[in-house]
Amino acid sequence: AQKVTQAQTEISVVEKEDVTLDCVYETRDTTYYLFWYKQPPSGELVFLIRRNSFDEQNEISGRYSWNFQKSTSSFNFTITASQVVDSAVYFCALSEGYNQGGKLIFGQGTELSVKP
Amino acid sequence: GAVVSQHPSRVICKSGTSVKIECRSLDFQATTMFWYRQFPKQSLMLMATSNEGSKATYEQGVEKDKFLINHASLTLSTLTVTSAHPEDSSFYICSARGRRSGANVLTFGAGSRLTVL
């Protein structure tokens, strides 16, 4: 069965600290997609990244970076030099067979609080 | 990029009334739309999947007669909460899947916050 686990329910850091949000997933499929979304208090989901199961290269986008490791079924997200505007709930999600699906299984979410 | 409009963003209604939420893909044709529900401080849970022109597929535990989903065109899906009760108060989010400029897209709406008094 598919499952996404974000073990950290809440994280609090001080501005400029680096922070890593963990995501562990379970799936039987060999083809799948992983996502990260940011949800600010307004509720709208902000897309951050999509990674397919065949691409294990790490990715960096500005202060954001992602570490995908199939060996441990993890897709962790790191924010470098965190800022107050990074405060939000972050969701990791899994989709099997993206080209045929698009149905996402979400993790429980991690609420990140960045204090000035 | 691909844009999905969801309306209304907030709605307050009395218990026993019905509420309709619209999800529109503005610049692409959505062959499939998904409806999620999110209770406060919780994750998003898929309620149903709708394909244009066919009946929606509901997830286990979701009442079909209470949450009516219609996907009558390639750009519009609606969710109607019938005979709403306070326990239906939640944040409802749609996503739309289709193709735009030759690429697959999957985009979320901004969500609709329902409060049932």
Side-chain angles (χ1 to χ4, degrees):
Chain A
Q2 293 175 287
K3 186 178 180 182
V4 177
T5 301
Q6 295 178 255
Q8 306 148 308
T9 53
E10 296 180 9
I11 299 177
S12 182
V13 298
V14 177
E15 208 169 17
K16 296 185 183 177
E17 285 185 15
D18 298 347
V19 59
T20 296
L21 282 61
D22 298 332
C23 174
V24 175
Y25 63 92
E26 295 176 30
T27 179
R28 294 179 184 174
D29 274 19
T30 55
T31 301
Y32 53 89
Y33 288 78
L34 295 164
F35 302 77
W36 274 96
Y37 287 89
K38 175 182 180 180
Q39 187 178 44
S42 64
E44 184 171 358
L45 285 178
V46 178
F47 169 80
L48 297 178
I49 190 172
R50 184 191 84 195
R51 175 53 53 86
N52 74 56
S53 52
F54 299 108
D55 183 2
E56 285 193 73
Q57 279 192 335
N58 291 333
E59 182 156 339
I60 298 175
S61 176
R63 296 184 297 108
Y64 296 168
S65 62
W66 291 269
N67 185 321
F68 177 28
Q69 296 206 349
K70 289 179 74 171
S71 60
T72 55
S73 296
S74 66
F75 187 43
N76 296 338
F77 172 36
T78 297
I79 301 175
T80 303
S82 59
Q83 300 176 3
V84 173
V85 293
D86 296 327
S87 297
V89 179
Y90 290 85
F91 288 98
C92 179
L94 166 71
S95 175
E96 290 178 344
Y98 179 77
N99 286 330
Q100 290 78 37
K103 180 168 74 171
L104 300 187
I105 305 298
F106 285 85
Q108 300 92 319
T110 297
E111 184 171 5
L112 174 65
S113 175
V114 181
K115 301 185 186 308
Chain B
V3 180
V4 171
S5 171
Q6 193 171 336
H7 178 80
S9 58
R10 292 179 180 272
V11 57
I12 300 173
C13 70
K14 292 182 179 180
S15 187
T17 60
S18 294
V19 173
K20 181 184 285 188
I21 300 170
E22 293 187 346
C23 181
R24 291 180 185 273
S25 56
L26 300 185
D27 54 357
F28 67 100
Q29 293 188 325
T31 51
T32 306
M33 288 190 176
F34 304 90
W35 287 95
Y36 296 82
R37 179 169 55 183
Q38 183 182 30
F39 291 110
K41 297 288 188 179
Q42 294 190 23
S43 186
L44 288 81
M45 299 299 294
L46 181 68
M47 299 174 66
T49 302
S50 73
N51 293 296
E52 184 267 337
S54 60
K55 289 185 178 180
T57 301
Y58 290 80
E59 296 298 303
Q60 193 172 7
V62 178
E63 300 175 56
K64 301 178 184 181
D65 295 332
K66 182 165 189 61
F67 299 99
L68 300 179
I69 292 172
N70 184 285
H71 193 163
S73 77
L74 283 172
T75 59
L76 174 64
S77 176
T78 59
L79 166 67
T80 301
V81 183
T82 62
S83 186
H85 290 286
E87 57 266 29
D88 299 323
S89 298
S90 186
F91 191 58
Y92 294 87
I93 310 176
C94 70
S95 69
R97 173 175 166 66
R99 288 184 70 81
R100 182 177 182 275
S101 302
N104 291 322
V105 295
L106 176 67
T107 303
F108 281 85
S112 299
R113 195 169 302 279
L114 170 64
T115 302
V116 184
L117 303 176

